[in-house]
Amino acid sequence: MAAAAALIAGMAPLAACASNGESASAQQPQAQTTTPPPAAPQATTGYTDAQIDAFVAARSQINQLTPGTTTEEQQQNQIRISQILQEAGVTPEQYNQILEASQIDQTLSNRIAVAAVGDSLSDDQLRAFVTASAEIEPLNATLTSGTETERAQAAEQIRGILARNNLTIEVYNGIAAQARTNAELQARLQALNAPADAPSGSE
């Protein structure tokens, strides 16, 4: 039972780690607009699934753009970003609002993570999650109650754990968020974790 408890604890989305400016979302380029930037967004979950899906679709393509080093390259990137947003059916204002809101609203961030990961998770991804969550679980208390220095150190350790297991914070959080409500996914995770829980000998 101890291993199972550790797994469940490790399923908590990495809010503290992500909020240190190291999450995938925090690194996203914002879509530039000709209008003044919107006021700081309030935490909200009032976005529809269609809006979240459009945001995720646009972000995945924007992430693939190489940052421009010259004025011409930056202008070309902005043209391409405008095309991507139009194709995804999201305005620059909506994109930026969702991006900024996701950094202060963990529920919204979880919805985006779930949408980005999808529901076609391989056993390899889930095994990596199980392994990572077992290592991350002891660090959870530090992330929530440690000093600023301790939280930074724990976040760095977690990034290393995720890298060793070929996981991003977004993918980890997507699996963790789904596992909270998806009974089938919970069963798959428990099955993959079962060998570690099995007794070493017979009674």
Side-chain angles (χ1 to χ4, degrees):
M1 295 299 293
L7 174 62
I8 297 300
M11 284 181 181
L14 301 175
C17 184
S19 65
N20 285 334
E22 300 295 339
S23 68
S25 295
Q27 303 296 330
Q28 304 301 323
Q30 288 197 335
Q32 293 183 2
T33 69
T34 56
T35 58
Q42 296 181 346
T44 177
T45 56
Y47 297 103
T48 66
D49 288 343
Q51 288 174 315
I52 297 298
D53 289 342
F55 171 83
V56 169
R59 188 182 61 176
S60 66
Q61 294 187 65
I62 290 174
N63 280 349
Q64 297 175 25
L65 297 177
T66 302
T69 57
T70 67
T71 300
E72 182 179 359
E73 290 174 344
Q74 292 171 358
Q75 290 175 341
Q76 289 298 319
N77 274 350
Q78 283 305 313
I79 292 173
R80 180 57 186 141
I81 287 174
S82 296
Q83 293 173 338
I84 290 171
L85 295 178
Q86 185 174 11
E87 292 168 0
V90 59
T91 67
E93 292 81 7
Q94 288 174 331
Y95 181 92
N96 288 340
Q97 287 170 358
I98 294 174
L99 174 62
E100 293 170 9
S102 69
Q103 295 174 34
I104 60 174
D105 184 341
Q106 187 60 44
T107 299
L108 176 60
S109 179
N110 290 348
R111 288 181 63 196
I112 292 172
V114 169
V117 172
D119 55 9
S120 299
L121 295 166
S122 68
D123 283 351
D124 285 343
Q125 285 177 304
L126 297 185
R127 286 192 189 94
F129 174 83
V130 168
T131 300
S133 65
E135 295 184 63
I136 288 170
E137 189 276 334
L139 300 172
N140 283 342
T142 302
L143 280 178
T144 56
S145 60
T147 65
E148 183 175 349
T149 299
E150 290 171 339
R151 290 198 301 270
Q153 291 173 342
E156 185 64 28
Q157 288 180 271
I158 287 173
R159 286 191 289 273
I161 292 169
L162 295 176
R164 288 198 304 274
N165 288 282
N166 296 315
L167 292 171
T168 64
I169 289 176
E170 183 175 65
V171 170
Y172 182 95
N173 281 349
I175 296 173
Q178 285 195 52
R180 289 182 162 187
T181 58
N182 187 322
E184 181 180 353
L185 180 57
Q186 290 174 6
R188 289 180 66 192
L189 288 169
Q190 293 292 350
L192 290 171
N193 194 49
D197 292 338
S200 57
S202 59
E203 295 293 337

